[in-house]
Amino acid sequence: MIKFVQAGGALQSHDDIPEDIRAQIYAEVQQDVDRRRKRRAPSVSSCPPINITNVLPTQSPQASITQPGGPQPGPVGSGVRKTRLQIPEPLDDAVRSYTDWQQSRFSSISTHMEYQKACRLTLDECLDLELVSERQDVEFYTKNGVKQGVAHRFVRDIELWADQFNDDVV
């Protein structure tokens, strides 16, 4: 980047970084993520098998009747959280770390750019990951130019990231 600036290039924002330099940076980040993942991941053969049985409890007819004026069930995925996210770093830094993590899951530069756009929108509106997770407002991102897939993952995967983040910290 120093050579780029010395040759007369201007670096005023992320958008000014040349594509070849971006690709190098993203490749280095991906290698770092892969190294961490390898260190953390147990050998598949050493893990015992897991059996999962999904059984829904039966409901009595009385329990399924909603009382007038009582609480009404919310829409699926209404975004109401029962527990707070545990993020032991400044909230704006957490948004950046989360964005880096999301970008590490994709190799496409254009997808990385979309995640940067989502990150900027989040920080520009003084939102943090807990607020984004509570609101589940994908439309906020899509209305502001973030592509559908990135908007959905940006809103949906926060708890997954927080769990992994806290596992790495411990």
Side-chain angles (χ1 to χ4, degrees), residues 76-89:
V76 175
S78 62
V80 177
R81 292 183 45 83
K82 292 183 174 57
T83 58
R84 297 180 71 123
L85 295 175
Q86 299 300 314
I87 302 173
E89 66 178 340

Side-chain angles (χ1 to χ4, degrees), residues 148-169:
Q148 286 278 330
V150 169
H152 280 277
R153 283 200 179 277
F154 196 86
V155 169
R156 184 189 73 186
D157 293 347
I158 293 171
E159 282 188 63
L160 175 65
W161 172 82
D163 291 344
Q164 288 183 7
F165 179 88
N166 289 323
D167 287 347
D168 286 347
V169 171

Side-chain angles (χ1 to χ4, degrees), residues 19-84:
E19 287 300 318
D20 59 324
I21 294 174
R22 281 179 204 249
Q24 289 174 356
I25 292 169
Y26 291 134
E28 289 175 18
V29 169
Q30 184 62 46
Q31 287 175 351
D32 186 48
V33 169
D34 290 344
R35 266 187 252 118
R36 276 192 254 147
R37 193 174 291 143
K38 284 179 185 175
R39 273 186 268 144
R40 217 178 45 222
S43 168
V44 174
S45 61
S46 68
C47 297
I50 299 173
N51 294 321
I52 300 173
T53 306
N54 291 327
V55 179
L56 294 174
T58 58
Q59 267 189 343
S60 68
Q62 290 286 34
S64 64
I65 299 173
T66 310
Q67 297 297 324
Q72 301 294 317
V76 175
S78 62
V80 177
R81 292 183 45 83
K82 292 183 174 57
T83 58
R84 297 180 71 123

Side-chain angles (χ1 to χ4, degrees), residues 11-139:
L11 293 176
Q12 306 237 340
S13 73
H14 285 86
D15 296 334
D16 296 331
I17 298 174
E19 287 300 318
D20 59 324
I21 294 174
R22 281 179 204 249
Q24 289 174 356
I25 292 169
Y26 291 134
E28 289 175 18
V29 169
Q30 184 62 46
Q31 287 175 351
D32 186 48
V33 169
D34 290 344
R35 266 187 252 118
R36 276 192 254 147
R37 193 174 291 143
K38 284 179 185 175
R39 273 186 268 144
R40 217 178 45 222
S43 168
V44 174
S45 61
S46 68
C47 297
I50 299 173
N51 294 321
I52 300 173
T53 306
N54 291 327
V55 179
L56 294 174
T58 58
Q59 267 189 343
S60 68
Q62 290 286 34
S64 64
I65 299 173
T66 310
Q67 297 297 324
Q72 301 294 317
V76 175
S78 62
V80 177
R81 292 183 45 83
K82 292 183 174 57
T83 58
R84 297 180 71 123
L85 295 175
Q86 299 300 314
I87 302 173
E89 66 178 340
L91 298 179
D92 56 336
D93 289 345
V95 173
R96 290 181 195 93
S97 296
Y98 174 65
T99 302
D100 292 343
W101 174 77
Q102 282 286 14
Q103 289 176 319
S104 75
R105 299 167 68 202
F106 293 88
S107 60
S108 164
I109 299 295
S110 62
T111 304
H112 291 197
M113 303 296 282
E114 290 298 312
Y115 277 108
Q116 283 297 320
K117 194 183 303 181
C119 178
R120 280 193 303 273
L121 280 168
T122 303
L123 296 173
D124 287 349
E125 290 299 317
C126 300
L127 296 171
D128 60 63
L129 295 177
E130 190 168 14
L131 294 173
V132 172
S133 183
E134 286 172 357
R135 292 175 54 193
Q136 293 289 302
D137 189 4
V138 173
E139 193 174 331

